[in-house]
Amino acid sequence: MKKDRIALVLSPGIRFIGGMALMLAFLFSDSLIYRLAFIPLLLTLVPLGGKRILWKNYLVLIFFITFFNLLNPWGEVLLSLGPLAITKGALTSGLLKGITFTGLILISLVSISRGLNFPGRLGGMIGRVFYYFERIFEQKHRIRKEDLIGTLDEILMEIYSESDPD
Amino acid sequence: MAKLTEKARLTAFLGGMCLFLSAIEYLLPRPVPFMRLGLANLPVLLALGLLPFPYVMLLVLLKILGQGLISGTLASYVFLFSAAGSYTSALVMSAFNRIPRRYMSLIGVSVLGALAGNLVQLTLSVYFIFGPSASVIAPVFLTIGTVSSFLIGLFAEKFRDGSRWYASLGGL
């Protein structure tokens, strides 16, 4: 796992608020160039935050969004590839949606970090969810393919019968 | 941590299971990025027979928050898609789960819930992302959703019938 360098200078709460501000700035204009300009910054921040950039996934995502938008042509025809006409309007719209979609995922990766506590009763419950998640995760090596139900049942029985964490 | 009621504690426990299964699913390779197996629906299916309706809805909220945190999509459209699909699916599953077991198995409940959730997600993708051409992916999307929900329903059915843990919660 990569080292989270942002955590050295920002608390999880401030980081989350900063991420939300970055999201508002990202969505401020509908211009493709404007949103594209944020991408290098986000691609720098994500690894600094200790997260991995799934290049292939994001590129495939942008490709698919753009491709499906191209199937609905509008505006000036830039190129014709057999039955498919690549139009300026559809291409710009598809790329804008793809970049926006990817940008928001990157912002989410930058904003969320370990130790982020949500306030209130729901926040307390989320804390408990993470506790149980970690307890189940610790026991995952005991899960056997040949007796999936039996081993999983044993783990759940064991963890659930433990006293409620304080 | 503050003490929770038994129902709230079980909801958090099932939420932890959702998070665990989301993490497992995140690690599995996907042929197309927006397609999910829906492993995290398993605890929701189990919850239908254990928790009252409002707690099931709370569990769905915990599930989508957990999925958003793990996959890094909490601040994105994906989160809204996931929320719309999960809530629709949970509402449909809750309704069909009221039908006696001899007429409707958990497999049926799971498949109907997934179909409803996937249809809502497809509709949203037509309006907000892909445009009318999203209908091109509809057959593949719905087929994968139906097959995976059938398998998850089958597992839930077998788990419910064979689990000592599940049986021990019957009197909740």
Side-chain angles (χ1 to χ4, degrees):
Chain A
M1 193 153 178
K2 287 181 177 176
K3 192 174 175 186
D4 185 352
R5 292 176 197 281
I6 298 177
L8 300 174
V9 288
L10 291 179
S11 71
I14 297 291
R15 181 172 172 171
F16 184 73
I17 292 167
M20 294 305 103
L22 187 60
M23 184 174 74
L24 289 177
F26 179 69
L27 297 173
F28 181 72
S29 165
D30 271 345
S31 153
L32 175 63
I33 303 294
Y34 175 85
R35 290 201 185 157
L36 209 50
F38 276 82
I39 299 298
L41 169 70
L42 295 171
L43 291 175
T44 310
L45 288 174
V46 170
L48 281 176
K51 309 272 176 70
R52 225 159 33 106
I53 296 173
L54 304 168
W55 292 97
K56 196 182 120 197
N57 279 15
Y58 302 142
L59 290 173
V60 170
L61 194 68
I62 293 170
F63 172 80
F64 267 95
I65 293 174
T66 309
F67 177 75
F68 283 115
N69 272 273
L70 287 175
L71 296 179
N72 191 22
W74 59 279
E76 183 191 340
V77 177
L78 300 172
L79 184 70
S80 286
L81 295 170
L84 180 70
I86 297 180
T87 56
K88 194 176 176 183
L91 182 66
T92 311
S93 160
L95 281 172
L96 178 67
K97 285 175 181 175
I99 294 294
T100 306
F101 203 85
T102 308
L104 288 172
I105 290 177
L106 294 174
I107 291 173
S108 188
L109 284 171
V110 173
S111 319
I112 310 293
S113 61
R114 264 173 194 235
L116 177 64
N117 285 316
F118 296 96
R121 199 188 289 177
L122 181 63
M125 206 156 183
I126 291 173
R128 201 75 53 112
V129 168
F130 279 99
Y131 167 80
Y132 285 125
F133 164 67
E134 281 177 25
R135 289 289 293 117
I136 298 170
F137 209 82
E138 280 166 11
Q139 304 295 323
K140 71 176 190 303
H141 62 278
R142 289 170 53 194
I143 298 174
R144 300 262 173 274
K145 256 193 296 183
E146 54 275 17
D147 184 19
L148 195 58
I149 290 178
T151 48
L152 183 62
D153 188 40
E154 213 168 272
I155 294 168
L156 297 182
M157 192 84 181
E158 203 174 289
I159 297 172
Y160 197 71
S161 61
E162 289 170 2
S163 57
D164 196 23
D166 293 320
Chain B
M1 279 187 245
K3 282 276 171 206
L4 297 179
T5 63
E6 204 49 37
K7 286 191 183 87
R9 186 178 165 230
L10 178 59
T11 309
F13 186 76
L14 290 167
M17 269 177 80
C18 286
L19 212 55
F20 172 71
L21 294 169
S22 300
I24 298 289
E25 182 159 340
Y26 187 65
L27 299 175
L28 298 173
R30 279 185 279 177
V32 186
F34 47 83
M35 286 189 179
R36 279 189 175 156
L37 285 174
L39 292 179
N41 281 330
L42 178 65
V44 179
L45 267 174
L46 295 175
L48 293 173
L50 296 170
L51 292 168
F53 179 72
Y55 284 88
V56 175
M57 294 293 112
L58 181 59
L59 174 63
V60 173
L61 177 66
L62 293 172
K63 183 192 96 154
I64 54 178
L65 283 175
Q67 282 176 328
L69 285 167
I70 283 189
S71 57
T73 56
L74 197 59
S76 71
Y77 287 139
V78 179
F79 181 73
L80 297 176
F81 273 50
S82 175
S86 295
Y87 270 109
T88 307
S89 169
L91 285 170
V92 170
M93 290 197 300
S94 293
F96 281 98
N97 193 54
R98 289 168 196 274
I99 298 173
R101 275 190 204 182
R102 63 177 184 276
Y103 300 117
M104 176 69 69
S105 68
L106 272 185
I107 301 171
V109 172
S110 173
V111 169
L112 290 168
L115 272 174
N118 287 345
L119 282 172
V120 165
Q121 288 180 331
L122 267 176
T123 309
L124 288 176
S125 69
V126 166
Y127 283 102
F128 294 106
I129 299 192
F130 294 122
S133 39
S135 53
V136 178
I137 58 163
V140 183
F141 189 65
L142 292 174
T143 305
I144 290 179
T146 306
V147 172
S148 61
S149 61
F150 177 88
L151 295 173
I152 286 163
L154 184 67
F155 185 82
E157 182 96 353
K158 284 191 181 299
F159 186 83
R160 183 181 67 183
D161 295 342
S163 166
R164 286 182 307 133
W165 170 74
Y166 189 92
S168 74
L169 297 165
L172 203 69

